[in-house]
Every structure is written in structure tokens, then in C-alpha cells.
Amino acid sequence: MSTSHLTRPETLLALRNVSKVFPSSTGPRTVLQQVNLTVSEGEFVCIIGHSGCGKTTLLNMVAGFLTPSEGEVLLKSEPITAPGPDRMVVFQGYALLPWLSAFENIYLAVDAVWPTKSRTQKTAIVRENLALVGLTDAAHKKPNQLSGGMKQRVAIARALSIRPEVLILDEPFGALDAITKEELQEELLKIWNASRCTVLMITHDIDEALFLCDRLVMMTNGPAARIGEILTIPFARPRERSRIMEDPAYYELRNTALDFLYRRFAHTET
Ligand SMILES: Nc1ncnc2c1ncn2[C@@H]1O[C@H](COP(=O)(O)OP(=O)(O)OP(=O)(O)O)[C@@H](O)[C@H]1O
């Protein structure tokens, strides 16, 4: 077992006084205000909050698709100014190219990041990552021949194949049925355990967050959303769903999160 969590963890990612303002028809709209968050190397962080509070905006700044209006987003103390292969994003909608097979979708990403590697080396990387998500036999299939869960596995394999330092997951299992979702959560934990990359994941599902993450970041409602509270999830790893659900701490954390979302920061239509 890795001891990296027991020794002093290194800060990998830091958001310092981050605000994001978008123009709108009624003038500037502050979506996020004064967000501060530090993420350690190898940490698994989930972000939860009501629809429209700015979770994707926050992840987009980490991904480098957006820049903060104020404050800074730092990766290893350097400001993030653009997307890069050290941060890979997996979206809810898979974002696979429909005319390419699972293998080719991943190969394309590997080729873009390591153009100088030989075809044999790149093929080996693709195969290794397809195997990691249990899709060796589906390598030749096109996205329309794959189930939602399989498509999301390909998207995860593609992201992992380029060995990102930060894996950014924007509600990756939101469109999947409950059983597939639980299977993929377990696979994701195994993969994370093996790769120990840092994960930042948006979810709307409190149980999913409690099963997966080290810390659960709870956002207040927008406009001008901020981090309201961060829960530390204490369950030992490797985690077993049935064990966690027998732990009284699980229900305490669940109630705290429910209270935050549905009482203290209940969603009111604006
Ligand atoms: N590029 C943009 N230009 C203008 N407004 C934007 C832009 N991107 C996001 N917004 C606005 O910022 C707010 C936050 O959006 P965001 O997608 O970050 O929320 P979210 O918490 O991820 O929502 P959901 O849970 O529904 O995905 C919304 O009001 C959205 O309309």
C-alpha cells in the first residue's frame, strides 16, 4: 500500500481567491467568487453543488479552457494558462469521435501527445489502457456499437493513456443506469489506486462522492458561488461499498451533505 497519504502530501493544485465573471445581457455576471482550494498530489476530490452554481466553470479553469477573472489557478505553483496533457477531462457525453473505433479514439490522443513514439509503442499503450478498463475485446468497435458504460470506459482509458497528473471528471457517470454506474465507480477506484493520479470530479450524487473521494467540496448556490464547506471522508482504502454502508459515519456525512444542499443552500429558482 502506498504511504504517500501518510507522509506530508505535496500540493499539486491550488485555487487562490478565484473569481469568474461572465458577460451577460444584463451586465457582468459573477459566477464564482473568492474560491480557495488546495488539492494534494494523489488526492481524490469530489465537487457537489446545485445545477448552475459554477462547478464546470471551476473545472474548466483547472483544465485551462477558461482563465479566472481574478485570482489564480496553480499547478505545481505555476499558473494554468492553457489546456495541457498533464490535465485530462472526461465529460458526461463521452466526446468520442463516432467514425473511429475504441482503439483509434485512444490512439489519436496517444499520438497527439507522443508523436515521436513508434507505432508499436503507441499501440501497446492503447492496448494496456483498453485492458485496464476491461475493453480488450471491444477495441475494434465504433462508439455506436458500444453501450453508454463502455463508451465512458473508452473515454476514461483515453484520458488515462496519456498519464495525466490530474484527471478531471465532469459528472462522468451521470447518464448511466444505477448498476453500470456502481460498476464504473468501482473500476475507477481500482484505476485510481493503481495510477494514483489526482482526481477532481463533479457529481450530483452524494453516495457516489462518499464512496469515491477523500474530500467532498460543497459549493453554495450561484451567482457568486463559493466553497461552503469541505467534508473529509475518512473511510479506509481499498473501499468496499457494503462495509462503508455499515459505518455510522457514512450516515452522518450523508446527512451533513443533505442538510447543506437541501436546507442550508436549498436551490431556489432565480
Ligand atoms: N462561457 C460562458 N459564458 C457565459 N456564461 C456562462 C459560460 N459558461 C457558464 N456560464 C454560466 O455560468 C453559470 C455556471 O455554469 P456551470 O456550467 O459552471 O454550472 P454547473 O454548476 O456546472 O451546472 P450543472 O450542474 O448544471 O452542470 C451558469 O449560469 C452558466 O449559464
Side-chain angles (χ1 to χ4, degrees):
M1 197 181 130
S2 161
T3 55
S4 61
H5 284 274
L6 305 176
T7 54
R8 261 177 95 97
E10 293 282 321
T11 294
L12 182 71
L13 194 67
L15 286 88
R16 304 247 186 263
N17 300 318
V18 168
S19 299
K20 184 67 189 172
V21 182
F22 286 118
S24 81
S25 54
T26 52
R29 182 180 156 88
T30 302
V31 171
L32 294 169
Q33 192 159 39
Q34 293 286 311
V35 173
N36 284 287
L37 178 67
T38 306
V39 179
S40 302
E41 211 168 325
E43 203 179 3
F44 197 132
V45 172
C46 278
I47 301 168
I48 207 161
H50 288 293
S51 190
C53 73
K55 302 179 294 297
T56 300
T57 302
L58 194 153
L59 289 200
N60 279 340
M61 288 190 281
V62 175
F65 300 140
L66 291 173
T67 48
S69 310
E70 272 176 39
E72 48 186 10
V73 185
L74 306 168
L75 183 73
K76 291 185 173 162
S77 309
E78 293 292 323
I80 291 170
T81 54
D86 46 8
R87 286 150 288 136
M88 282 304 288
V89 187
V90 175
F91 303 97
Q92 181 177 350
Y94 323 120
L96 301 176
L97 296 173
W99 60 89
L100 296 181
S101 68
F103 178 94
E104 290 161 338
N105 262 286
I106 302 173
Y107 191 92
L108 195 68
V110 173
D111 191 39
V113 175
W114 290 303
T116 57
K117 279 195 197 286
S118 71
R119 185 164 175 86
T120 312
Q121 284 173 313
K122 287 182 274 201
T123 299
I125 294 171
V126 177
R127 293 208 183 288
E128 183 193 322
N129 284 279
L130 274 169
L132 201 62
V133 296
L135 281 185
T136 299
D137 294 340
H140 61 285
K141 292 195 173 163
K142 301 258 169 68
N144 68 2
Q145 299 171 294
L146 301 171
S147 68
M150 290 162 97
K151 278 189 266 205
Q152 201 54 297
R153 285 186 171 94
V154 177
I156 291 171
R158 178 176 57 183
L160 290 169
S161 67
I162 62 167
R163 301 241 167 281
E165 289 190 77
V166 187
L167 181 62
I168 298 170
L169 303 161
D170 192 347
E171 252 198 281
F173 309 141
L176 304 176
D177 64 85
I179 294 172
T180 309
K181 192 173 173 176
E182 290 198 353
E183 276 172 13
L184 279 187
Q185 289 165 359
E186 269 148 41
E187 277 179 27
L188 177 62
L189 274 193
K190 276 189 205 147
I191 291 167
W192 172 74
N193 202 36
S195 69
R196 281 294 162 147
C197 61
T198 304
V199 180
L200 224 48
M201 171 169 163
I202 294 177
T203 178
H204 280 110
D205 181 337
I206 294 172
D207 295 304
E208 174 168 275
L210 294 180
F211 179 54
L212 294 175
C213 74
D214 295 314
R215 281 190 303 153
L216 175 55
V217 172
M218 301 194 289
M219 311 268 313
T220 66
N221 293 330
R226 55 191 169 76
I227 293 175
E229 202 175 322
I230 300 181
L231 297 181
T232 297
I233 313 303
F235 309 123
R237 298 187 187 271
R239 289 184 181 166
E240 251 176 70
R241 206 182 296 272
S242 55
R243 261 229 186 126
I244 289 178
M245 293 182 79
E246 283 167 7
D247 190 332
Y250 180 85
Y251 297 94
E252 277 168 36
L253 289 162
R254 197 170 190 277
N255 283 339
T256 306
L258 283 170
D259 186 61
F260 180 94
L261 289 171
Y262 299 106
R263 196 182 62 81
R264 291 168 59 200
F265 293 97
H267 202 208
T268 46
E269 294 301 325
T270 47

